[in-house]
């Protein structure tokens, strides 16, 4: 818990350092460069093993790999624990800076039936082993056959592979028991120290041979540093059976021109960025064109309407009012279930604030992938502290609706959305725990989340609500009639269900391309660090939600339907439905998940994401329509 608090404190203190310290001496906490002299020992750590087929991470030592004398867990922040990271020390100890070593024996293992089965299951599910050196994750370089001299990097190496011997029909499991590590370093010509800028590996499956009985001084015949015999292929692979396996590794150091500040570029440029660029530009141009068109239509139409209404001179002309002015006496009538609307609007403001500040932090470089778990930690903390604005917004709206029980609405704002998400999360966590995965959130972390919720977020919601309810609200531009007028029959294209579903298409269309890259980074375990693009897409989303809601709200009022409160929220909020449908499409077309639990995890988490997206976009649309209606009804003369 102390480690988590320390990490949280650093997030806020680093903001102070960014603005008040000279830029040449500023480094983010935990990601400052470390200089190594020749002969310095390097600490290699192991992380979870992961699979895109199961989405269930496990700790490295859940498999019968070689172990050090004492396993030491690294201090992890809240975000790392929620991601399922389990960072521990490794048995790979002969890592000496700038001293290449060949054929180091880690250990000799004699597998029993249970251990062999564990390895085979992980090979079947295509699990990869993740390691860390100087905060750099281990990658496997793979040449692209379609592009000359192009290399892509795979995170971690596979536990093993399946294959057949020539002339045999039986498929065997082979384990990667020899690792050829390459550590790239950038040397300082003045001090002769060096910084690590790359950590790569080439895994091999080798059936090691030796003579006589095994002991600590036994020399291998297949891999011998004295005879300069290195492993270069897997011609005689090591089967996973109830037999002995000897784990070995090489370490080679290579000098690199890459500077420490640019060492993450290799990891962050793994996707085909050309497709990304064209997709983003295409989406941006389409949405900008639609925005300009909508703005032009709305400005010209509204200007004509307002001018015509303000020029009415006779009582007879006034009685012949039609369109949106005719419902001026009902347009600000409180809707049914207005207390629930206040809760969702307050929660949406909380989400909006969290996402906006998170993106600002990301653009400033605070949430670099090198700050492992920082993104999730920052989002959780910002959600908690944004409770102040959630309470303020819901209370202000509630008071405008002439509500009196502000404590009740505040409690619902503080609990409704988090309780729903926590209930889904608890069920999913129970499923992960049942699979004995390291992705299961421990009880201590779960308690910390509840403490953040009830200890900080809920009180802040009450403080914000108290402030908001005490402030006077603005009066409506027009008075509300005592008796509500009847809403006339609407044409089919203005039916609530149809217009709501149509309204969600454009906001989803503005983000679905970026959504593909986000889903790929989450479910295919790739880094996502193009927050500049993401921020542009977020702005496009806000503008699109606002415009489509205002346009449909205007059409609705023109057809003398004044029940716009919930409609405005659901119009842009319906984009969440398309997001969930796209997530289902992505599941069946891009992922190879076959296990029931893994599928339940995917759809459970995507349901949470879609629910959050509904609250966010719905609130944006609501406030846009709220501003629009107050603006147009305050611009005309109502007798």
């Amino acid at each position: 818990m102390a480690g988590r608090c320390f990490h949280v404190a650093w997030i806020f203190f680093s903001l102070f350092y960014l603005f008040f310290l000279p830029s040449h001496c500023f480094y983010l906490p935990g990601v400052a460069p470390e200089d190594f002299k020749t002969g310095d020992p390097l600490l290699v750590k192991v992380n979870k093993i992961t699979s895109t087929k199961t989405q269930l991470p496990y700790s490295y030592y859940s498999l019968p790999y070689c172990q050090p004398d004492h396993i030491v867990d690294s201090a992890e922040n809240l975000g790392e624990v929620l991601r399922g990271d389990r960072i521990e020390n490794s048995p790979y100890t002969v890592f000496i800076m700038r001293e290449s070593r060949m054929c180091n024996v880690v250990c000799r293992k004699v597998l029993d039936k249970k251990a062999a089965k564990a390895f085979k299951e992980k090979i079947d599910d295509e699990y990869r082993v993740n390691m860390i050196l100087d905060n750099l994750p281990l990658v496997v370089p793979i040449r692209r056959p379609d592009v000359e001299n192009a290399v892509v990097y795979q995170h971690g190496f596979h536990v093993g592979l399946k294959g057949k011997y020539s002339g045999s029909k039986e498929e065997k499991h082979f384990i990667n028991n020899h690792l050829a590590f390459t550590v790239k370093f950038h040397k300082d010509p003045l001090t002769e120290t060096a910084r690590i800028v790359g950590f790569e590996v080439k895994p091999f499956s080798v059936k090691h041979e030796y003579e006589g009985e095994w002991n600590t001084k036994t020399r291998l015949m297949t891999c011998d540093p004295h005879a300069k015999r290195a492993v270069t292929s897997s011609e005689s692979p090591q089967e996973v059976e109830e037999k002995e396996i000897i784990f070995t590794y090489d370490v080679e150091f290579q000098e690199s021109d890459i500077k420490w500040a640019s060492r993450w570029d290799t990891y962050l440029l793994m996707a085909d960025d050309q497709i990304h660029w064209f997709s983003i530009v295409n989406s941006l141009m389409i949405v900008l064109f639609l925005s300009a068109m909508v703005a032009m239509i709305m400005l010209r139409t509204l200007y004509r309407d307002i001018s015509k209404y303000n020029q009415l001179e006779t009582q007879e002309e006034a009685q012949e009012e039609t369109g949106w002015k005719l419902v001026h006496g009902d347009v600000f009538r409180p809707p049914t279930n207005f207390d629930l609307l206040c809760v969702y609007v307050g929660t949406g403001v909380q989400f909006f604030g969290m996402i906006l500040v998170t993106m600002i932090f990301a653009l400033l470089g605070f949430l670099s992938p090198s700050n492992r778990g920082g993104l999730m930690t920052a989002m959780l903390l910002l959600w908690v502290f944004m409770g102040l604005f959630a309470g303020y917004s819901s209370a202000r709206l509630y008071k405008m609706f002439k509500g009196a029980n502000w404590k009740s609405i505040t409690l619902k704002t503080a609990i409704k959305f988090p309780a729903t998400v926590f209930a889904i999360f608890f069920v999913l966590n129970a499923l992960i725990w049942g699979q004995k995965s390291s992705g299961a959130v421990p009880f201590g972390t779960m308690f910390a989340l509840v403490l953040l919720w009830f200890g900080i977020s809920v009180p802040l919601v009450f403080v914000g609500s108290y402030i908001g309810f005490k402030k006077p609200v603005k009066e409506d531009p027009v008075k509300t009639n005592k008796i509500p007028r009847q809403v006339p029959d609407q044409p089919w294209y203005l039916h609530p269900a149809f217009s709501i579903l149509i309204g969600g298409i454009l906001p989803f269309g503005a983000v679905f391309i970026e959504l593909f890259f986000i889903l790929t980074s989450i479910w295919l375990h790739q880094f996502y660090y193009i927050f500049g693009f993401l921020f542009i897409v977020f702005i496009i989303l806000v503008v699109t939600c606002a415009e489509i809601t205002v346009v449909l709200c205007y059409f609705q009022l023109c057809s003398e339907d004044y029940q716009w409160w919930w409609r405005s929220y659901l119009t842009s909020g319906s984009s969440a439905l398309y997001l969930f449908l796209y997530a289902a499409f992505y599941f069946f077309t891009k992922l190879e998940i076959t296990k029931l639990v893994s599928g339940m995890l995917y759809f459970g988490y995507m349901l949470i994401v879609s629910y959050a997206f509904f609250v966010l976009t719905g609130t944006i649309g609501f406030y846009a329509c709220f501003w629009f209606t107050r603006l147009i009804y305050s611009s005309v003369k109502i007798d």
Side-chain angles (χ1 to χ4, degrees):
M1 181 65 73
R4 295 191 190 103
C5 293
F6 179 75
H7 181 82
V8 170
W10 264 117
I11 289 179
F12 294 99
F13 282 125
S14 53
L15 269 177
F16 173 83
Y17 292 140
L18 177 64
F19 291 108
F20 295 102
L21 287 186
S23 59
H24 66 269
C25 65
F26 170 74
Y27 290 108
L28 294 177
V31 294
E34 186 172 356
D35 297 316
F36 297 95
K37 298 178 181 177
T38 301
D40 283 351
L42 303 178
L43 183 61
V44 177
K45 298 180 180 181
V46 293
N47 199 354
K48 60 189 177 184
I49 61 173
T50 57
S51 168
T52 57
K53 292 184 70 175
T54 68
Q55 302 296 334
L56 294 169
Y58 291 90
S59 67
Y60 177 82
Y61 295 114
S62 64
L63 287 177
Y65 278 119
C66 306
Q67 297 184 5
D69 295 334
H70 301 284
I71 298 176
V72 180
D73 292 328
S74 298
E76 294 163 345
N77 58 50
L78 187 60
E80 287 178 304
V81 175
L82 294 176
R83 279 162 35 105
D85 286 344
R86 298 296 180 267
I87 303 173
E88 298 157 315
N89 60 325
S90 76
Y92 299 92
T93 56
V94 191
F95 268 70
I96 307 300
M97 187 64 182
R98 297 170 68 177
E99 293 184 9
S100 298
R101 302 287 183 92
M102 184 187 298
C103 199
N104 301 284
V105 177
V106 187
C107 75
R108 169 180 172 269
K109 282 275 188 179
V110 179
L111 302 185
D112 56 16
K113 187 175 182 180
K114 182 179 179 182
K117 181 183 178 183
F119 273 124
K120 288 180 180 179
E121 288 178 348
K122 296 300 183 286
I123 292 173
D124 286 336
D125 290 331
E126 300 179 6
Y127 269 86
R128 299 177 188 172
V129 177
N130 296 281
M131 295 184 180
I132 300 170
L133 175 63
D134 191 36
N135 205 38
L136 270 181
L138 181 67
V139 293
V140 179
I142 302 174
R143 292 198 173 275
R144 288 183 55 174
D146 55 333
V147 182
E148 187 177 357
N149 297 327
V151 177
V152 293
Y153 293 90
Q154 170 191 286
H155 296 182
F157 64 91
H158 283 103
V159 173
L161 66 155
K162 293 189 292 184
K164 301 175 183 177
Y165 289 111
S166 58
S168 173
K169 294 182 179 180
E170 186 180 0
E171 197 169 44
K172 299 285 188 179
H173 293 79
F174 303 103
I175 187 171
N176 287 322
N177 61 323
H178 179 84
L179 304 176
F181 292 106
T182 300
V183 179
K184 295 184 177 181
F185 64 92
H186 181 78
K187 187 172 68 174
D188 188 337
L190 299 178
T191 62
E192 290 299 316
T193 59
R195 294 175 177 176
I196 295 173
V197 295
F199 187 33
E200 301 176 0
V201 69
K202 289 184 179 179
F204 298 97
S205 180
V206 181
K207 185 177 182 180
H208 287 300
E209 298 177 356
Y210 58 91
E211 293 181 347
E213 295 291 327
W214 176 265
N215 57 59
T216 55
K217 297 181 179 181
T218 299
R219 289 175 59 175
L220 299 175
M221 300 170 60
T222 48
C223 176
D224 190 353
H226 303 284
K228 302 296 182 182
R229 187 183 299 116
V231 175
T232 57
S233 66
S234 300
E235 292 182 0
S236 180
Q238 174 66 61
E239 290 185 34
V240 180
E241 298 294 344
E242 296 175 43
K243 57 177 69 173
E244 70 171 8
I245 298 177
I246 299 172
F247 292 90
T248 57
Y249 67 102
D250 302 333
V251 184
E252 180 185 1
F253 287 84
Q254 291 181 0
E255 189 171 354
S256 173
D257 295 330
I258 300 173
K259 295 184 178 180
W260 185 89
S262 304
R263 67 176 187 166
W264 274 90
D265 292 354
T266 301
Y267 298 84
L268 303 180
L269 299 177
M270 293 182 185
D272 194 336
D273 56 342
Q274 190 175 19
I275 294 177
H276 199 142
W277 269 100
F278 281 120
S279 300
I280 292 296
V281 171
N282 182 54
S283 176
L284 182 62
M285 294 303 295
I286 291 174
V287 173
L288 287 177
F289 174 74
L290 289 174
S291 300
M293 210 168 68
V294 166
M296 183 179 67
I297 293 172
M298 292 301 300
L299 286 174
R300 293 190 63 179
T301 306
L302 273 176
Y303 180 77
R304 187 178 65 248
D305 284 351
I306 292 173
S307 299
K308 183 180 70 174
Y309 287 140
N310 286 340
Q311 290 172 2
L312 295 177
E313 296 179 355
T314 66
Q315 186 67 25
E316 291 76 12
E317 288 176 322
Q319 290 176 354
E320 293 178 2
E321 292 177 358
T322 58
W324 56 269
K325 190 182 178 186
L326 186 61
V327 295
H328 65 83
D330 298 276
V331 74
F332 292 106
R333 187 181 305 281
T336 56
N337 297 322
F338 64 85
D339 53 342
L340 184 62
L341 179 64
C342 296
V343 170
Y344 273 111
V345 168
T347 305
V349 170
Q350 189 174 9
F351 253 112
F352 184 85
M354 177 196 74
I355 293 175
L356 183 62
V357 178
T358 299
M359 287 192 180
I360 293 174
F361 277 10
L363 290 172
L364 292 175
F366 281 85
L367 304 179
S368 165
S370 58
N371 186 9
R372 192 174 287 102
L375 177 63
M376 190 168 292
T377 303
M379 291 182 72
L380 279 171
L381 292 175
L382 287 170
W383 166 265
V384 168
F385 289 109
M386 287 296 165
L388 185 71
F389 299 97
Y392 180 85
S393 304
S394 62
R396 292 277 290 166
L397 189 60
Y398 185 67
K399 187 175 182 180
M400 193 192 74
F401 289 141
K402 306 297 188 295
N405 193 2
W406 70 273
K407 294 180 181 178
S408 173
I409 205 69
T410 304
L411 189 62
K412 291 178 182 178
T413 304
I415 290 179
K416 185 172 181 58
F417 179 84
T420 305
V421 172
F422 191 82
I424 299 173
F425 177 73
F426 186 83
V427 173
L428 297 178
N429 194 64
L431 293 174
I432 301 173
W433 180 79
Q435 297 294 314
K436 300 180 180 179
S437 167
S438 66
V441 178
F443 176 78
T445 305
M446 195 77 78
F447 178 76
L449 292 175
V450 174
L451 192 64
L452 283 172
W453 178 13
F454 285 99
I456 301 178
S457 181
V458 172
L460 284 177
V461 173
F462 269 90
V463 170
S465 187
Y466 177 80
I467 296 172
F469 201 77
K470 286 296 181 182
K471 289 192 68 174
V473 295
K474 293 182 179 180
E475 293 185 2
D476 295 332
V478 292
K479 294 182 180 180
T480 302
N481 297 333
K482 293 183 179 181
I483 302 175
R485 66 180 290 118
Q486 186 176 359
V487 177
D489 293 335
Q490 300 294 305
W492 64 270
Y493 54 85
L494 288 178
H495 189 275
F498 182 79
S499 62
I500 286 171
L501 290 176
I502 289 296
I505 294 177
L506 192 58
F508 171 74
V511 300
F512 90 95
I513 297 174
E514 199 66 24
L515 182 64
F516 169 81
F517 292 99
I518 294 173
L519 291 178
T520 300
S521 67
I522 295 173
W523 299 106
L524 296 182
H525 304 159
Q526 297 181 10
F527 287 115
Y528 184 90
Y529 194 59
I530 39 180
F531 292 109
F533 280 123
L534 189 62
F535 186 74
I536 294 172
V537 171
F538 179 67
I539 297 300
I540 293 173
L541 176 68
V542 173
V543 173
T544 309
C545 286
E547 288 184 344
I548 192 65
T549 308
V550 165
V551 169
L552 293 179
C553 180
Y554 175 71
F555 291 156
Q556 180 184 351
L557 293 176
C558 285
S559 63
E560 302 175 14
D561 183 357
Y562 56 85
Q563 297 172 346
W564 62 272
W565 297 95
W566 273 109
R567 182 89 70 90
S568 64
Y569 196 99
L570 296 174
T571 294
S572 53
S574 65
S575 56
L577 173 63
Y578 297 103
L579 188 151
F580 188 78
L581 293 176
Y582 180 78
F585 172 79
Y586 185 88
F587 177 85
F588 291 109
T589 58
K590 300 296 181 182
L591 301 181
E592 299 179 3
I593 295 176
T594 55
K595 293 189 176 181
L596 177 62
V597 171
S598 302
M600 292 175 67
L601 290 178
Y602 176 86
F603 283 104
Y605 284 127
M606 290 312 301
L607 182 63
I608 292 175
V609 171
S610 300
Y611 186 27
F613 194 71
F614 164 74
V615 173
L616 172 68
T617 54
T619 300
I620 295 170
F622 171 82
Y623 271 116
C625 203
F626 180 72
W627 167 82
F628 172 74
T629 52
R630 293 186 71 91
L631 178 67
I632 63 173
Y633 283 100
S634 62
S635 302
V636 296
K637 300 173 184 177
I638 305 292
D639 294 327

